Amino acid sequence: MNDSYIFAGPSLFGLDCNQYPGITFLGPVKFGDLPALVKAGARKIGIVDGCFETVAPVRHKEIVACIEHGVEIFGSSSMGALRAAECAAFGMCGVGEVYRQYADGTRVEDGDVAMMHGPVEMGYIPLTIPLVDLDHALWMCAGREELDQARHAAVMKRLGCIDYRERDLGAVLDCLGDDPRLRENLAHTLSVPARSLKTLDALALLQEMCRPSSGSLLAPGRGVICSPRGRPRASYRP
């Protein structure tokens, strides 16, 4: 029986879970899920996506209680990145670029990771685009000299004014104005799941969870920062 679990939804849409036979995949985490796994004998838990708004979100006390029971808790991408930044001092391990941005204060708004997605029957298919993915995609376009820093900031400000429930590809492209080259390249970038920053960070979290366990509690503040390609580049202590 597996003793490693991961809570994920749209951030790992389309993933072949058979690549990770030692991990049990569950849907987005919600309040009450973690204590149940501890009782079931979990030793490692990864949090990527989580419920909020209509369902009570996972609470910090639940995470700390798991750590006190000797369970290794990892977080990345979305709700996991938020909670990892908030609970790093208690031993939660944050993974990835989204985690880094929240941990060092570069990003502060919880809503930057919010998005709409389909139900479990549809594999949690993404329906709208979170700001963290848009920010990352725009920087990729900037790397191709299609967007300078000032315009990047202006576009992100306009995108931030769109409710996360309505921020689909059409709404995003409307914010770009009359720039067919940028519209085309951004649409292409966003159409490739492997270029999603949330997805890259989630895959990095899976890699971390597949490493042999240290057999002890995580050191407070432990974290792993990953490059935009999802490869670990340095340890991090906020």
Side-chain angles (χ1 to χ4, degrees):
M1 181 177 178
N2 293 342
D3 59 4
S4 297
Y5 300 81
I6 183 168
F7 291 96
S11 295
L12 285 177
F13 173 70
L15 176 74
D16 181 6
C17 298
N18 293 325
Q19 299 178 58
Y20 303 91
I23 297 177
T24 298
F25 287 78
L26 305 170
V29 69
K30 60 185 182 299
F31 174 67
D33 285 341
L34 298 188
L37 287 188
V38 173
K39 290 181 180 179
R43 304 307 302 163
K44 289 184 179 181
I45 298 175
I47 299 175
V48 175
D49 298 306
C51 299
F52 68 102
E53 215 168 63
T54 59
V55 178
V58 61
R59 295 180 180 174
H60 307 80
K61 289 184 177 180
E62 295 178 278
I63 294 171
V64 174
C66 287
I67 294 171
E68 290 176 344
H69 278 85
V71 180
E72 291 186 284
I73 307 287
F74 302 80
S76 77
S77 306
S78 192
M79 178 68 77
L82 290 170
R83 291 294 184 262
E86 295 159 346
C87 296
F90 301 100
M92 185 172 179
C93 179
V95 180
E97 176 64 15
V98 178
Y99 159 71
R100 180 198 66 78
Q101 292 174 11
Y102 281 112
D104 68 12
T106 301
R107 192 176 296 278
V108 296
E109 298 294 337
D110 293 2
D112 287 2
V113 295
M115 64 184 296
M116 293 292 289
H117 60 78
V120 60
E121 293 81 6
M122 298 178 66
Y124 301 105
I125 183 173
L127 300 177
T128 61
I129 308 169
L131 287 176
V132 290
D133 276 352
L134 289 170
D135 198 16
H136 177 62
L138 283 171
W139 279 121
M140 292 180 68
C141 290
R144 294 191 289 268
E145 299 181 354
E146 295 167 11
L147 196 70
D148 60 29
Q149 187 171 355
R151 190 174 176 208
H152 178 113
V155 171
M156 285 303 301
K157 184 176 181 179
R158 292 199 298 272
L159 291 171
C161 292
I162 304 173
D163 189 281
Y164 79 89
R165 304 171 189 84
E166 302 174 356
R167 199 186 300 119
D168 58 14
L169 182 59
V172 168
L173 296 182
D174 286 344
C175 280
L176 300 182
D178 187 17
D179 190 334
R181 182 181 177 186
L182 179 58
R183 288 166 63 95
E184 179 182 353
N185 286 330
L186 184 62
H188 175 69
T189 298
L190 293 172
S191 70
V192 181
R195 293 180 179 174
S196 160
L197 186 58
K198 276 191 171 187
T199 298
L200 292 171
D201 284 1
L203 292 173
L205 180 144
L206 282 169
Q207 292 176 8
E208 280 297 305
M209 289 186 64
C210 289
R211 297 179 188 276
S213 176
S214 63
S216 60
L217 291 177
L218 298 178
R222 172 187 165 188
V224 178
I225 300 175
C226 297
S227 71
R229 291 183 179 274
R231 291 194 290 263
R233 71 183 183 210
S235 61
Y236 180 74
R237 292 179 181 276

